[in-house]
Amino acid sequence: MRGLFGEGMRETHQVLYVAEKLIHQFLPKLARHFDKEHLHITMFATQWLLTQFTSSFPFELVTRVWDCFLQEGWKITYRVMLALLSTNQSNILQHGFEEILALFRELPDRVEGSIVLEAALKIPLRSSQILKYEQEWQQSHPLS
């Protein structure tokens, strides 16, 4: 986690890159809608990912995410992000840019932690997929 807030926030950019690639892989219809609405991942997921959801989500979800994070690392963080998007996809697809941002602001108040975590654990994300995207990002952003 320390690297997220280092000089240039290099690891933050990598985490967001991986998250965006995973959205395109697991939720392509939603990814296309975000592209159409010019909604970039930084507009909604930065706070989720950098704080491991502690910024505004229910304590029940946060504690379970942290338990899993300590065991398996970033995989659970990405899974929870995908689960949040997946469980709200039909609603998101019906709205435009401003309404989507409003939905994301209200989302933490409407989340059932156990449902989100159950959905997250069903997402067939493999560590090798995360590693592939991390390496892809590192190759396109070499250390100076």
Side-chain angles (χ1 to χ4, degrees):
M1 295 283 306
R2 181 180 301 195
L4 295 174
F5 303 99
E7 189 174 331
M9 297 182 78
R10 181 175 170 77
E11 288 182 32
T12 296
H13 294 286
Q14 178 179 301
V15 165
L16 290 167
Y17 177 85
V18 171
E20 185 171 32
K21 289 292 190 174
L22 292 172
I23 293 169
H24 280 271
Q25 179 180 345
F26 286 95
L27 301 167
K29 192 174 189 177
L30 192 59
R32 284 191 302 275
H33 187 65
F34 286 162
D35 290 343
K36 179 181 152 243
E37 293 299 324
H38 306 289
L39 189 78
H40 192 263
I41 191 165
T42 58
M43 297 174 181
F44 64 90
T46 304
Q47 191 176 33
W48 297 356
L49 300 171
L50 297 187
T51 67
Q52 298 294 319
F53 305 97
T54 61
S55 60
S56 54
F57 283 87
F59 187 70
E60 169 200 7
L61 176 62
V62 172
T63 55
R64 294 183 72 191
V65 167
W66 272 97
D67 282 345
C68 295
F69 182 77
L70 293 173
Q71 177 67 31
E72 66 178 37
W74 282 96
K75 185 193 270 188
I76 190 63
T77 308
Y78 295 127
R79 280 179 162 169
V80 169
M81 177 202 66
L82 291 168
L84 287 167
L85 294 173
S86 176
T87 57
N88 290 281
Q89 178 171 299
S90 61
N91 194 16
I92 295 168
L93 290 172
Q94 296 175 21
H95 293 90
F97 179 85
E98 290 181 23
E99 295 88 6
I100 295 170
L101 291 178
L103 285 169
F104 285 139
R105 280 191 299 276
E106 298 165 4
L107 184 64
D109 297 328
R110 296 183 290 118
V111 165
E112 288 253 4
S114 58
I115 292 172
V116 170
L117 201 60
E118 186 177 322
L121 295 174
K122 290 179 182 175
I123 295 171
L125 176 60
R126 295 186 316 275
S127 297
S128 61
Q129 293 166 303
I130 296 169
L131 183 60
K132 171 188 162 199
Y133 293 134
E134 287 175 345
Q135 290 172 340
E136 199 176 275
W137 187 87
Q138 289 167 4
Q139 288 173 354
S140 63
H141 297 84
L143 288 171
S144 315

